[in-house]
Amino acid sequence: MIDSKQRVHGPSVLFTLALAVVGLCAPLQAEEAAEADVKVTISGNDTMQFDVKEFEVGVGQTVELTLKHTGALPKAAMGHNVVILKKEMALMDFAMKAVAAAATEYIPADLAENVLAHTKLIGGGEEDVITFVAPAEAGNYEFLCSFPGHFGLMKGIMIVK
Ligand code: ZN
């Protein structure tokens, strides 16, 4: 019991420490690094829907992306992530290979270089926040949930201008 509790709390303690370190360092950095240029929130639900199918960012902007799972189903049954692909990666090809990548939360290790940014896989009631820098090249970048069978409904476009 105690052992499993420690295992659950270990990472969150580390995360809290990491946040504290970031918080301490932030004032020392340049102003633009402290705050994201643009914040985007995407919600996924228990019926495999993203509420955002398209969002716009500027070339080279720092993007803070929040994924919220507004459903109640667990990650194993209705897991969601947001995977933003580089232009050269076809969404269908990525989704097909992702099916076999359960061990790495449906991000195939050999396709990692084709991923611009991704959240972790989350279940009902959870959320994840990531920060990344938008590409220097303008254009449309596809995103999807790479959980098996979800990409048909759960996909969209990040427009970089
Ligand atoms: Zn999903």
Side-chain angles (χ1 to χ4, degrees), residues 17-29:
L17 284 173
L19 283 180
V21 170
V22 168
L24 287 171
C25 293
L28 302 174
Q29 294 171 347

Side-chain angles (χ1 to χ4, degrees), residues 44-103:
N45 62 22
D46 280 346
T47 55
M48 281 190 270
Q49 304 282 346
F50 278 143
D51 67 337
V52 171
K53 302 275 188 188
E54 199 177 287
F55 65 92
E56 206 177 291
V57 302
V59 164
Q61 279 191 323
T62 302
V63 183
E64 184 184 292
L65 172 68
T66 302
L67 171 65
K68 290 185 179 178
H69 194 317
T70 57
L73 293 170
K75 182 164 82 170
M78 186 55 68
H80 297 320
N81 60 13
V82 171
V83 183
I84 305 173
L85 301 174
K86 292 186 182 172
K87 273 185 182 170
E88 57 272 21
M89 183 76 237
L91 184 141
M92 179 75 88
D93 292 343
F94 186 90
M96 290 305 178
K97 287 187 178 164
V99 172

Side-chain angles (χ1 to χ4, degrees), residues 50 67-69 73-83 98 101-107 118-130 144-148 150 154:
F50 278 143
L67 171 65
K68 290 185 179 178
H69 194 317
L73 293 170
K75 182 164 82 170
M78 186 55 68
H80 297 320
N81 60 13
V82 171
V83 183
T104 49
E105 296 202 319
Y106 308 107
I107 309 290
H118 71 88
T119 68
K120 63 182 182 182
L121 190 72
I122 60 173
E126 296 179 326
E127 72 171 62
D128 189 34
V129 183
I130 60 169
L144 73 153
C145 170
S146 66
F147 191 90
H150 287 197
M154 305 188 81

